Amino acid sequence: MGECGLIYSCWALLKTGRVSASWIRFPQDTGAFRVLLNLGPGFHYAAVGLVLVAGFTAHLALGSASLPLALPKSSVSTSDDVASWNRTEGFLWVLLALLPLILRFWFPPVMNFVLVYFVFSHLPVSKAINNVVLAGNFVTDLIIVAIAVRIIGKKASDALRHSLRWPTAESLSLAIAFPSGIAALISIGQFLFALFRWAAHQSSTLGLPKFEIYFTLPGIGLFSLLFPAFAEELIFRGVLQSLFVRRYGVTRGIFLVGIAFAAVHFSTDFSVFSLGYTDGLVILKLCLRLIESLALSFAFGWLTLRSGSVLPAAIAHGLVSILGTSPFAPAFPGIGPLINLLWVVLAYVLFRYWPIRAESAQAFTDTAPAPSV
């Protein structure tokens, strides 16, 4: 409540030029309250968060809730020692809470200076993508991998070593086929829709749609997106998925990694470029991010566990980024949710009709069989 009072007092001062005890108790003029209501989604959700924390604290004080929050013991494998899992939880806190603050405020300027003046000043510039941002993301993710190994220890390094295997040709083919097939399916749909419109209005000015417009290949420079995708997959599929599947089983483990995968991207989803968002738009974007991240996490997780290697997931992730930047056909309103829906369908089909066998998960995590799900 003290924080709320301080925030309110500051905005009352900004609104009226004065703050008194009567303002803090119950102001007669509701102008400052209107200012608070107009502060936008950031303030609104921060206030909701404070209320939820206060509510949980009350339950904790009354004995109807407990800390730490955890899944039931019956759903958790005992193959990991407590200290090892505590280090994994510590890395998650660093990844989701501490690193976004550090990397947002001081790391980008330093990284951009080094890359621009010592690297890219000597290389040709690609107009299709910001090479500085791309390289910065790649280096940042590699640093996060090093931090994971440093905090978690031997289990993280073992997980990385086991995931860096050369996959089979079948796994590599699937990694290319999944994102390419989804993009091609959308392009085919666009072409058939344009063809139908042309057939229905042959007397109009609509020309016969050209097939090549709907199947343009991305520029070669965009394939550099494979590098940050590889580094990101080392974190989530190489380290975290192995540890989470070992502890919680295949389905729960991949689901929890997908939640962390989504949370890492929240800071970029809601940056200074999203100041005009409404409360409803924030909720919509959160839902879309969660759906996308969970669908991709299950598809990439399936590829990783089936192949025993993180490389197919890295290739699929890179192609998703490439085709998201430069799709085969022209983009249209709603293409993002449509792509997410197709990935959800693909993930469901994979786990419904080609589920991961227990021995495959065991071989990848290099432990006793994971708990049943």
Side-chain angles (χ1 to χ4, degrees):
M1 294 304 294
E3 292 177 356
C4 292
L6 179 61
I7 294 172
Y8 172 75
S9 299
C10 291
W11 279 99
L13 177 63
L14 179 64
K15 178 69 178 178
T16 66
R18 61 185 176 85
V19 177
S20 65
S22 62
W23 270 103
I24 299 176
R25 288 196 302 270
F26 187 79
Q28 300 298 320
D29 182 4
T30 59
F33 281 122
R34 288 194 296 270
V35 171
L36 293 179
L37 291 176
N38 293 329
L39 287 181
F43 175 80
H44 298 162
Y45 290 113
V48 171
L50 289 173
V51 171
L52 293 176
V53 170
F56 177 77
T57 304
H59 281 284
L60 190 64
L62 294 174
S64 56
S66 62
L67 285 174
L69 300 176
L71 292 176
K73 290 185 178 180
S74 59
S75 64
V76 177
S77 171
T78 58
S79 60
D80 281 339
D81 58 279
V82 176
S84 174
W85 183 248
N86 286 342
R87 289 194 295 270
T88 303
E89 291 179 328
F91 168 69
L92 280 175
W93 181 84
V94 170
L95 176 67
L96 301 178
L98 183 60
L99 284 178
L101 293 176
I102 297 175
L103 299 179
R104 176 176 292 275
F105 289 108
W106 70 268
F107 192 74
V110 175
M111 177 61 63
N112 289 348
F113 173 81
V114 172
L115 291 174
V116 169
Y117 289 98
F118 293 96
V119 180
F120 289 105
S121 59
H122 306 287
L123 296 175
V125 178
S126 172
K127 296 181 180 180
I129 193 167
N130 191 328
N131 288 318
V132 176
V133 173
L134 177 67
N137 291 339
F138 177 60
V139 174
T140 299
D141 287 338
L142 289 182
I143 292 174
I144 295 175
V145 172
I147 293 173
V149 173
R150 178 66 181 86
I151 294 177
I152 300 174
K154 187 175 185 298
K155 288 188 179 296
S157 58
D158 288 345
L160 280 175
R161 187 176 65 255
H162 293 158
S163 66
L164 290 174
R165 303 169 179 171
W166 189 255
T168 63
E170 177 189 5
S171 299
L172 291 176
S173 300
L174 290 175
I176 296 172
F178 288 164
S180 301
I182 288 176
L185 184 63
I186 294 176
S187 294
I188 291 172
Q190 289 179 271
F191 173 74
L192 292 178
F193 178 75
L195 191 63
F196 174 79
R197 289 185 59 197
W198 173 82
H201 304 87
Q202 290 192 32
S203 59
S204 68
T205 57
L206 292 175
L208 180 65
K210 298 180 180 179
F211 185 82
E212 59 270 18
I213 295 178
Y214 299 91
F215 287 92
T216 58
L217 295 178
I220 191 66
L222 289 176
F223 283 87
S224 55
L225 288 168
L226 290 169
F227 292 101
F230 170 72
E232 196 168 340
E233 287 304 306
L234 286 180
I235 301 169
F236 290 98
R237 253 56 64 180
V239 175
L240 291 180
Q241 178 172 286
S242 176
L243 300 176
F244 272 76
V245 167
R246 174 163 52 204
R247 185 171 179 85
Y248 296 112
V250 173
T251 304
R252 290 192 186 96
I254 294 178
F255 176 83
L256 293 173
V257 170
I259 296 296
F261 189 48
V264 163
H265 294 89
F266 287 162
S267 60
T268 55
D269 288 340
F270 304 102
S271 62
V272 294
F273 301 104
S274 57
L275 294 178
Y277 280 9
T278 62
D279 292 332
L281 191 56
V282 168
I283 294 176
L284 176 61
K285 195 165 183 65
L286 282 172
C287 292
L288 290 176
R289 171 59 72 181
L290 285 170
I291 292 172
E292 176 189 20
S293 297
L294 287 172
L296 292 178
S297 185
F298 273 97
F300 297 164
W302 185 89
L303 281 170
T304 302
L305 291 176
R306 188 175 181 87
S307 64
S309 170
V310 76
L311 295 179
I315 292 173
H317 188 162
L319 288 176
V320 168
S321 300
I322 292 168
L323 294 173
T325 303
S326 177
F328 291 152
F332 57 89
I335 187 174
L338 176 59
I339 292 174
N340 293 344
L341 176 61
L342 292 176
W343 277 104
V344 169
V345 172
L346 174 63
Y348 172 79
V349 169
L350 292 176
F351 277 85
R352 176 66 176 83
Y353 297 102
W354 294 281
I356 300 298
R357 296 189 299 270
E359 55 269 24
S360 299
Q362 177 185 349
F364 182 76
T365 58
D366 195 32
T367 65
S372 60
V373 292

mmCIF file of all heavy atoms in Angstrom, residues 238-268:
data_model
loop_
_atom_site.group_PDB
_atom_site.id
_atom_site.type_symbol
_atom_site.label_atom_id
_atom_site.label_comp_id
_atom_site.label_asym_id
_atom_site.label_seq_id
_atom_site.Cartn_x
_atom_site.Cartn_y
_atom_site.Cartn_z
ATOM 1 N N GLY A 238 18.605 -27.602 -25.608
ATOM 2 C CA GLY A 238 19.840 -28.279 -25.245
ATOM 3 C C GLY A 238 20.013 -28.454 -23.756
ATOM 4 O O GLY A 238 20.430 -29.511 -23.293
ATOM 5 N N VAL A 239 19.695 -27.405 -22.967
ATOM 6 C CA VAL A 239 19.901 -27.459 -21.518
ATOM 7 C C VAL A 239 18.588 -27.674 -20.781
ATOM 8 O O VAL A 239 18.402 -28.687 -20.100
ATOM 9 C CB VAL A 239 20.595 -26.168 -21.028
ATOM 10 C CG1 VAL A 239 20.703 -26.175 -19.507
ATOM 11 C CG2 VAL A 239 21.970 -26.030 -21.644
ATOM 12 N N LEU A 240 17.657 -26.727 -20.905
ATOM 13 C CA LEU A 240 16.472 -26.747 -20.053
ATOM 14 C C LEU A 240 15.558 -27.932 -20.347
ATOM 15 O O LEU A 240 15.034 -28.559 -19.421
ATOM 16 C CB LEU A 240 15.698 -25.440 -20.220
ATOM 17 C CG LEU A 240 16.390 -24.200 -19.649
ATOM 18 C CD1 LEU A 240 15.533 -22.963 -19.874
ATOM 19 C CD2 LEU A 240 16.681 -24.375 -18.169
ATOM 20 N N GLN A 241 15.335 -28.259 -21.625
ATOM 21 C CA GLN A 241 14.421 -29.358 -21.915
ATOM 22 C C GLN A 241 14.935 -30.664 -21.333
ATOM 23 O O GLN A 241 14.160 -31.445 -20.774
ATOM 24 C CB GLN A 241 14.211 -29.500 -23.419
ATOM 25 C CG GLN A 241 13.294 -30.672 -23.775
ATOM 26 C CD GLN A 241 12.922 -30.693 -25.236
ATOM 27 O OE1 GLN A 241 12.120 -29.891 -25.695
ATOM 28 N NE2 GLN A 241 13.515 -31.611 -25.982
ATOM 29 N N SER A 242 16.221 -30.911 -21.455
ATOM 30 C CA SER A 242 16.780 -32.138 -20.908
ATOM 31 C C SER A 242 16.523 -32.236 -19.408
ATOM 32 O O SER A 242 16.117 -33.276 -18.896
ATOM 33 C CB SER A 242 18.286 -32.183 -21.200
ATOM 34 O OG SER A 242 18.875 -33.316 -20.605
ATOM 35 N N LEU A 243 16.745 -31.120 -18.686
ATOM 36 C CA LEU A 243 16.575 -31.133 -17.239
ATOM 37 C C LEU A 243 15.107 -31.221 -16.849
ATOM 38 O O LEU A 243 14.748 -31.926 -15.892
ATOM 39 C CB LEU A 243 17.199 -29.869 -16.643
ATOM 40 C CG LEU A 243 18.709 -29.703 -16.904
ATOM 41 C CD1 LEU A 243 19.198 -28.369 -16.361
ATOM 42 C CD2 LEU A 243 19.495 -30.847 -16.296
ATOM 43 N N PHE A 244 14.232 -30.528 -17.573
ATOM 44 C CA PHE A 244 12.815 -30.527 -17.228
ATOM 45 C C PHE A 244 12.154 -31.850 -17.578
ATOM 46 O O PHE A 244 11.287 -32.335 -16.835
ATOM 47 C CB PHE A 244 12.111 -29.364 -17.932
ATOM 48 C CG PHE A 244 12.138 -28.083 -17.157
ATOM 49 C CD1 PHE A 244 13.289 -27.323 -17.105
ATOM 50 C CD2 PHE A 244 11.023 -27.651 -16.469
ATOM 51 C CE1 PHE A 244 13.335 -26.143 -16.388
ATOM 52 C CE2 PHE A 244 11.046 -26.471 -15.748
ATOM 53 C CZ PHE A 244 12.207 -25.702 -15.697
ATOM 54 N N VAL A 245 12.505 -32.439 -18.716
ATOM 55 C CA VAL A 245 11.932 -33.740 -19.081
ATOM 56 C C VAL A 245 12.377 -34.808 -18.097
ATOM 57 O O VAL A 245 11.595 -35.690 -17.705
ATOM 58 C CB VAL A 245 12.335 -34.110 -20.524
ATOM 59 C CG1 VAL A 245 12.026 -35.574 -20.826
ATOM 60 C CG2 VAL A 245 11.605 -33.213 -21.513
ATOM 61 N N ARG A 246 13.622 -34.724 -17.664
ATOM 62 C CA ARG A 246 14.117 -35.686 -16.689
ATOM 63 C C ARG A 246 13.337 -35.579 -15.381
ATOM 64 O O ARG A 246 13.065 -36.594 -14.729
ATOM 65 C CB ARG A 246 15.607 -35.439 -16.432
ATOM 66 C CG ARG A 246 16.191 -36.296 -15.314
ATOM 67 C CD ARG A 246 17.692 -36.328 -15.377
ATOM 68 N NE ARG A 246 18.267 -35.004 -15.428
ATOM 69 C CZ ARG A 246 19.481 -34.739 -15.940
ATOM 70 N NH1 ARG A 246 20.187 -35.721 -16.491
ATOM 71 N NH2 ARG A 246 19.960 -33.530 -15.933
ATOM 72 N N ARG A 247 12.958 -34.375 -14.998
ATOM 73 C CA ARG A 247 12.309 -34.178 -13.702
ATOM 74 C C ARG A 247 10.798 -34.334 -13.776
ATOM 75 O O ARG A 247 10.175 -34.887 -12.862
ATOM 76 C CB ARG A 247 12.652 -32.788 -13.162
ATOM 77 C CG ARG A 247 12.122 -32.528 -11.751
ATOM 78 C CD ARG A 247 12.673 -31.238 -11.195
ATOM 79 N NE ARG A 247 12.175 -30.960 -9.861
ATOM 80 C CZ ARG A 247 12.679 -31.429 -8.729
ATOM 81 N NH1 ARG A 247 13.725 -32.251 -8.790
ATOM 82 N NH2 ARG A 247 12.186 -31.116 -7.555
ATOM 83 N N TYR A 248 10.158 -33.841 -14.851
ATOM 84 C CA TYR A 248 8.705 -33.786 -14.893
ATOM 85 C C TYR A 248 8.076 -34.672 -15.958
ATOM 86 O O TYR A 248 6.852 -34.706 -16.078
ATOM 87 C CB TYR A 248 8.249 -32.340 -15.133
ATOM 88 C CG TYR A 248 8.608 -31.403 -14.017
ATOM 89 C CD1 TYR A 248 9.550 -30.392 -14.213
ATOM 90 C CD2 TYR A 248 8.022 -31.525 -12.762
ATOM 91 C CE1 TYR A 248 9.887 -29.527 -13.186
ATOM 92 C CE2 TYR A 248 8.351 -30.665 -11.732
ATOM 93 C CZ TYR A 248 9.278 -29.666 -11.946
ATOM 94 O OH TYR A 248 9.612 -28.814 -10.928
ATOM 95 N N GLY A 249 8.863 -35.367 -16.761
ATOM 96 C CA GLY A 249 8.308 -36.158 -17.838
ATOM 97 C C GLY A 249 8.233 -35.365 -19.130
ATOM 98 O O GLY A 249 8.466 -34.150 -19.154
ATOM 99 N N VAL A 250 7.893 -36.032 -20.219
ATOM 100 C CA VAL A 250 7.952 -35.415 -21.544
ATOM 101 C C VAL A 250 6.960 -34.267 -21.677
ATOM 102 O O VAL A 250 7.321 -33.135 -22.003
ATOM 103 C CB VAL A 250 7.708 -36.471 -22.645
ATOM 104 C CG1 VAL A 250 7.606 -35.800 -24.011
ATOM 105 C CG2 VAL A 250 8.842 -37.500 -22.650
ATOM 106 N N THR A 251 5.686 -34.539 -21.408
ATOM 107 C CA THR A 251 4.659 -33.524 -21.652
ATOM 108 C C THR A 251 4.799 -32.339 -20.719
ATOM 109 O O THR A 251 4.830 -31.179 -21.158
ATOM 110 C CB THR A 251 3.252 -34.139 -21.505
ATOM 111 O OG1 THR A 251 3.139 -35.261 -22.380
ATOM 112 C CG2 THR A 251 2.186 -33.116 -21.852
ATOM 113 N N ARG A 252 4.883 -32.608 -19.410
ATOM 114 C CA ARG A 252 5.021 -31.496 -18.458
ATOM 115 C C ARG A 252 6.330 -30.753 -18.667
ATOM 116 O O ARG A 252 6.387 -29.521 -18.565
ATOM 117 C CB ARG A 252 4.940 -32.022 -17.024
ATOM 118 C CG ARG A 252 3.568 -32.509 -16.592
ATOM 119 C CD ARG A 252 3.529 -32.718 -15.091
ATOM 120 N NE ARG A 252 2.280 -33.321 -14.669
ATOM 121 C CZ ARG A 252 2.103 -34.616 -14.464
ATOM 122 N NH1 ARG A 252 3.106 -35.457 -14.662
ATOM 123 N NH2 ARG A 252 0.942 -35.082 -14.075
ATOM 124 N N GLY A 253 7.390 -31.493 -18.930
ATOM 125 C CA GLY A 253 8.688 -30.847 -19.099
ATOM 126 C C GLY A 253 8.704 -29.898 -20.287
ATOM 127 O O GLY A 253 9.162 -28.752 -20.173
ATOM 128 N N ILE A 254 8.210 -30.355 -21.431
ATOM 129 C CA ILE A 254 8.181 -29.492 -22.623
ATOM 130 C C ILE A 254 7.245 -28.308 -22.402
ATOM 131 O O ILE A 254 7.532 -27.182 -22.831
ATOM 132 C CB ILE A 254 7.766 -30.304 -23.862
ATOM 133 C CG1 ILE A 254 8.842 -31.349 -24.187
ATOM 134 C CG2 ILE A 254 7.528 -29.398 -25.056
ATOM 135 C CD1 ILE A 254 8.497 -32.232 -25.368
ATOM 136 N N PHE A 255 6.114 -28.546 -21.712
ATOM 137 C CA PHE A 255 5.174 -27.449 -21.445
ATOM 138 C C PHE A 255 5.838 -26.365 -20.595
ATOM 139 O O PHE A 255 5.722 -25.165 -20.902
ATOM 140 C CB PHE A 255 3.941 -27.990 -20.731
ATOM 141 C CG PHE A 255 2.953 -26.927 -20.330
ATOM 142 C CD1 PHE A 255 2.034 -26.439 -21.240
ATOM 143 C CD2 PHE A 255 2.962 -26.409 -19.034
ATOM 144 C CE1 PHE A 255 1.126 -25.448 -20.874
ATOM 145 C CE2 PHE A 255 2.064 -25.423 -18.670
ATOM 146 C CZ PHE A 255 1.145 -24.948 -19.589
ATOM 147 N N LEU A 256 6.529 -26.736 -19.539
ATOM 148 C CA LEU A 256 7.164 -25.749 -18.663
ATOM 149 C C LEU A 256 8.284 -25.014 -19.386
ATOM 150 O O LEU A 256 8.473 -23.802 -19.198
ATOM 151 C CB LEU A 256 7.687 -26.441 -17.405
ATOM 152 C CG LEU A 256 6.600 -26.997 -16.476
ATOM 153 C CD1 LEU A 256 7.226 -27.812 -15.355
ATOM 154 C CD2 LEU A 256 5.746 -25.880 -15.911
ATOM 155 N N VAL A 257 9.034 -25.712 -20.220
ATOM 156 C CA VAL A 257 10.067 -25.045 -21.023
ATOM 157 C C VAL A 257 9.414 -24.061 -21.989
ATOM 158 O O VAL A 257 9.938 -22.964 -22.230
ATOM 159 C CB VAL A 257 10.914 -26.085 -21.786
ATOM 160 C CG1 VAL A 257 11.831 -25.406 -22.799
ATOM 161 C CG2 VAL A 257 11.758 -26.893 -20.804
ATOM 162 N N GLY A 258 8.245 -24.434 -22.534
ATOM 163 C CA GLY A 258 7.533 -23.526 -23.431
ATOM 164 C C GLY A 258 7.096 -22.249 -22.726
ATOM 165 O O GLY A 258 7.129 -21.159 -23.318
ATOM 166 N N ILE A 259 6.683 -22.356 -21.456
ATOM 167 C CA ILE A 259 6.313 -21.165 -20.693
ATOM 168 C C ILE A 259 7.531 -20.260 -20.515
ATOM 169 O O ILE A 259 7.453 -19.033 -20.677
ATOM 170 C CB ILE A 259 5.731 -21.566 -19.331
ATOM 171 C CG1 ILE A 259 4.418 -22.344 -19.514
ATOM 172 C CG2 ILE A 259 5.502 -20.334 -18.454
ATOM 173 C CD1 ILE A 259 3.311 -21.550 -20.152
ATOM 174 N N ALA A 260 8.683 -20.858 -20.168
ATOM 175 C CA ALA A 260 9.905 -20.056 -20.036
ATOM 176 C C ALA A 260 10.318 -19.459 -21.375
ATOM 177 O O ALA A 260 10.780 -18.313 -21.446
ATOM 178 C CB ALA A 260 11.027 -20.930 -19.475
ATOM 179 N N PHE A 261 10.140 -20.223 -22.446
ATOM 180 C CA PHE A 261 10.441 -19.758 -23.807
ATOM 181 C C PHE A 261 9.612 -18.528 -24.148
ATOM 182 O O PHE A 261 10.103 -17.567 -24.752
ATOM 183 C CB PHE A 261 10.157 -20.907 -24.776
ATOM 184 C CG PHE A 261 10.608 -20.673 -26.187
ATOM 185 C CD1 PHE A 261 11.876 -20.200 -26.462
ATOM 186 C CD2 PHE A 261 9.760 -20.941 -27.251
ATOM 187 C CE1 PHE A 261 12.292 -19.991 -27.776
ATOM 188 C CE2 PHE A 261 10.163 -20.742 -28.563
ATOM 189 C CZ PHE A 261 11.431 -20.264 -28.816
ATOM 190 N N ALA A 262 8.341 -18.536 -23.754
ATOM 191 C CA ALA A 262 7.478 -17.379 -23.994
ATOM 192 C C ALA A 262 7.883 -16.198 -23.123
ATOM 193 O O ALA A 262 7.947 -15.055 -23.590
ATOM 194 C CB ALA A 262 6.019 -17.760 -23.716
ATOM 195 N N ALA A 263 8.168 -16.462 -21.846
ATOM 196 C CA ALA A 263 8.489 -15.378 -20.911
ATOM 197 C C ALA A 263 9.747 -14.622 -21.318
ATOM 198 O O ALA A 263 9.836 -13.403 -21.116
ATOM 199 C CB ALA A 263 8.648 -15.940 -19.501
ATOM 200 N N VAL A 264 10.706 -15.313 -21.904
ATOM 201 C CA VAL A 264 11.938 -14.651 -22.339
ATOM 202 C C VAL A 264 11.636 -13.593 -23.399
ATOM 203 O O VAL A 264 12.339 -12.577 -23.492
ATOM 204 C CB VAL A 264 12.935 -15.703 -22.873
ATOM 205 C CG1 VAL A 264 14.031 -15.063 -23.700
ATOM 206 C CG2 VAL A 264 13.555 -16.467 -21.709
ATOM 207 N N HIS A 265 10.605 -13.808 -24.203
ATOM 208 C CA HIS A 265 10.288 -12.891 -25.294
ATOM 209 C C HIS A 265 9.341 -11.762 -24.881
ATOM 210 O O HIS A 265 9.059 -10.879 -25.689
ATOM 211 C CB HIS A 265 9.673 -13.668 -26.468
ATOM 212 C CG HIS A 265 10.628 -14.622 -27.116
ATOM 213 N ND1 HIS A 265 10.782 -15.920 -26.687
ATOM 214 C CD2 HIS A 265 11.477 -14.458 -28.165
ATOM 215 C CE1 HIS A 265 11.681 -16.524 -27.439
ATOM 216 N NE2 HIS A 265 12.122 -15.671 -28.345
ATOM 217 N N PHE A 266 8.848 -11.797 -23.641
ATOM 218 C CA PHE A 266 7.921 -10.740 -23.217
ATOM 219 C C PHE A 266 8.577 -9.363 -23.248
ATOM 220 O O PHE A 266 7.921 -8.368 -23.569
ATOM 221 C CB PHE A 266 7.402 -11.026 -21.809
ATOM 222 C CG PHE A 266 6.403 -12.147 -21.743
ATOM 223 C CD1 PHE A 266 6.130 -12.773 -20.537
ATOM 224 C CD2 PHE A 266 5.737 -12.586 -22.880
ATOM 225 C CE1 PHE A 266 5.215 -13.806 -20.463
ATOM 226 C CE2 PHE A 266 4.830 -13.624 -22.826
ATOM 227 C CZ PHE A 266 4.566 -14.236 -21.607
ATOM 228 N N SER A 267 9.863 -9.296 -22.889
ATOM 229 C CA SER A 267 10.526 -7.990 -22.830
ATOM 230 C C SER A 267 10.625 -7.338 -24.197
ATOM 231 O O SER A 267 10.602 -6.107 -24.310
ATOM 232 C CB SER A 267 11.924 -8.137 -22.221
ATOM 233 O OG SER A 267 12.723 -9.015 -22.996
ATOM 234 N N THR A 268 10.724 -8.139 -25.248
ATOM 235 C CA THR A 268 10.751 -7.576 -26.603
ATOM 236 C C THR A 268 9.350 -7.332 -27.144
ATOM 237 O O THR A 268 9.132 -6.439 -27.950
ATOM 238 C CB THR A 268 11.511 -8.508 -27.558
ATOM 239 O OG1 THR A 268 10.926 -9.826 -27.512
ATOM 240 C CG2 THR A 268 12.975 -8.611 -27.148
#
